Amino acid sequence: MFKQSRFFTHERYQRIGLSAICIALASQVNFQTYAPGFIVTLSVFILPVILYFNRDFNPISLTVAVAVASPVFRGILLFISHDVDSHDNVIYILADMAFYLCYGLIYYLLYWRRGQRSNTTFFLTIVLCDYVANLLEVSLLTSFSHYTYQLFQILFITALIRSLVSCLLAFLYHYFQLMLRQENHEQRYYHFIWVASAVNSEVYFMRKNISEIENVMKNAYLLNQDLQQENVSEAERDKALQIARDVHEIKKDYQNVIRGLGDYFNDDTDTAMQLADILKVTTDYIRESIKPKFPNVTIEVHNHVDLMVPNHYYLVSILSNLIFNSVDAMEGRPSGAVIVSVVDRGSDILLNVSDNASGMDAETLAMIFQPGFTTKFNENGDVYRGIGLSHVKIIAQEQFDGDIHVESELGKGTTFTVKLSKKRLEQEADA
């Protein structure tokens, strides 16, 4: 713990040193005003930005480092160029050091020590730091004489302009960072909705399969009972009983998986989502997903229904499977379009997903809703992994009291129409 703390302290001092050198180099970009040795430099534009984005810096440590580095650079350049004599050079260096030390002290007292900080307070503090530090520097260069009202005006206007530019740069960059972060969080949220929808759908059908597992276990046990009455070896009878036991263990493991996934992705505490937001989350995520393989496929959304959907994970599953089916049908085509439309039909809504892909023949149409049917295989010949159209139909029927129909024509495209009960859409999921 001690070594880690020492590492962070060393790392902070390194950053302070690098910042001081950058500010010192920037101070060489300057022009002289009002009094000999009094210059307006680029460094005073950079200093507030560094302070704003490095809140862990002690401002006194930073400005002391700058007060050492900047006059050294300036003094060396003035000495080499012979623009001023040695005495004036020392005066200029001392005035320069006083500027940065005064700046850091005021910033420390008025802003850095405060518990509550805001952009407004930061800006006002920077203006005051710049103004007072400039006033001190000019006073040292003029031996605390030759004060005029015009001098105070010039110093204040200079401080105001420099502070405005510096704070504007800092605030805009900070806002840009927040926008990027918000966009990143939004993408993560979309991904979570997507994953949660897929898992909830899988868990839904895993629960339904429990009854099938129980039937297998029951039949194995009954087979064992029947074999008791037959003239078969004890080993054969035990084999049937062992099958029943094995299936029972599989059922327990299956239930544990369901319970774990169900608890982790439990949507009981989730708030309902607007249908428009569900459409946006789903289509935006799919657009990003298909870009590498289908860059010229467009997805359009036309929504004419406004309602809240508590049980939104299942609706995302329905939408995503239908849209991906349409996109996959574009394989080998230079471009294509998928149109998603939602229409109000009184007590129901109609969700249509249409494409202009290759379409399906009558034989395929007759089989697409059969469990296990698929036309999609990967390059290794493995079946495409998804809940499938048969499960989409079950979700529409059981969760939303609806149904699904399809129309397709070879070479022209396919349209899936899902009828969903508006009442069921607006209800919480069944326990």
Side-chain angles (χ1 to χ4, degrees), residues 59-311:
I60 294 180
S61 299
L62 176 62
T63 50
V64 165
V66 178
V68 172
S70 178
V72 168
F73 279 104
R74 186 183 180 195
I76 291 173
L77 290 175
L78 288 175
F79 178 77
I80 294 173
S81 63
H82 302 290
D83 287 345
V84 297
D85 59 38
S86 299
H87 178 267
D88 288 341
N89 195 2
V90 172
I91 297 298
Y92 295 164
I93 288 175
L94 291 176
D96 207 11
M97 294 178 69
F99 172 86
Y100 289 110
L101 293 174
C102 179
Y103 195 108
L105 181 62
I106 295 173
Y107 182 84
Y108 174 81
L109 294 173
L110 296 184
Y111 183 80
W112 195 76
R113 290 199 312 170
R114 293 169 60 96
Q116 298 294 327
R117 301 173 183 176
S118 68
N119 288 343
T120 302
T121 307
F122 178 81
F123 170 71
L124 295 175
T125 304
I126 292 301
V127 172
L128 189 59
C129 289
D130 197 321
Y131 176 70
V132 175
N134 266 335
L135 184 59
L136 176 61
E137 184 180 5
V138 171
S139 298
L140 290 171
L141 292 172
T142 59
S143 301
F144 294 89
S145 61
H146 302 95
Y147 291 116
T148 64
Y149 181 69
Q150 184 183 15
L151 169 64
F152 295 110
Q153 283 184 317
I154 292 173
L155 293 180
F156 180 75
I157 292 172
T158 301
L160 184 63
I161 292 174
R162 290 199 297 201
S163 300
L164 277 171
V165 173
S166 299
C167 291
L168 185 63
L169 289 173
F171 297 162
L172 284 177
Y173 183 71
H174 181 61
Y175 178 74
F176 179 70
Q177 283 185 318
L178 290 177
M179 291 291 290
L180 290 179
R181 197 174 303 160
Q182 181 179 354
E183 184 178 348
N184 186 40
H185 288 172
E186 187 176 74
Q187 289 299 323
R188 289 183 180 180
Y189 174 69
Y190 287 1
H191 183 68
F192 174 77
I193 292 290
W194 182 267
V195 171
S197 299
V199 171
N200 273 278
S201 297
E202 295 288 357
V203 169
Y204 177 72
F205 290 107
M206 288 172 73
R207 288 195 179 105
K208 292 177 70 68
N209 289 339
I210 287 290
S211 60
E212 301 296 330
I213 294 175
E214 288 175 342
N215 286 335
V216 173
M217 181 178 65
K218 178 182 177 181
N219 290 335
Y221 181 76
L222 291 175
L223 177 62
N224 173 265
Q225 297 297 311
D226 292 341
L227 290 175
Q228 298 287 344
Q229 304 171 10
E230 300 290 336
N231 187 22
V232 295
S233 65
E234 185 177 350
E236 293 295 326
R237 293 196 298 270
D238 289 343
K239 187 181 294 184
L241 185 59
Q242 186 60 43
I243 290 173
R245 289 170 180 165
D246 291 341
V247 173
H248 178 68
E249 292 301 315
I250 292 172
K251 175 190 170 185
K252 284 183 7 182
D253 292 340
Y254 208 70
Q255 287 175 323
N256 288 334
V257 172
I258 292 172
R259 190 178 301 112
L261 290 175
D263 290 344
Y264 190 78
F265 290 94
N266 183 18
D267 58 352
D268 291 342
T269 58
D270 287 343
T271 58
M273 287 182 67
Q274 286 276 359
L275 179 58
D277 291 334
I278 296 172
L279 291 167
K280 183 180 187 304
V281 167
T282 307
T283 54
D284 283 359
Y285 191 82
I286 293 177
R287 286 188 186 104
E288 291 299 317
S289 301
I290 68 174
K291 267 184 183 179
K293 192 175 181 181
F294 301 96
N296 298 318
V297 172
T298 60
I299 301 175
E300 299 180 22
V301 178
H302 305 283
N303 178 31
H304 305 284
V305 179
D306 181 23
L307 77 162
M308 299 292 291
V309 183
N311 203 8

Side-chain angles (χ1 to χ4, degrees), residues 325-326 329-330 337-339 353-359 412-416:
N325 273 339
S326 292
M330 307 285 182
V338 179
I339 300 176
V353 178
S354 303
D355 63 65
N356 60 352
S358 55
K412 292 189 176 181
T414 302
T415 298
F416 285 94

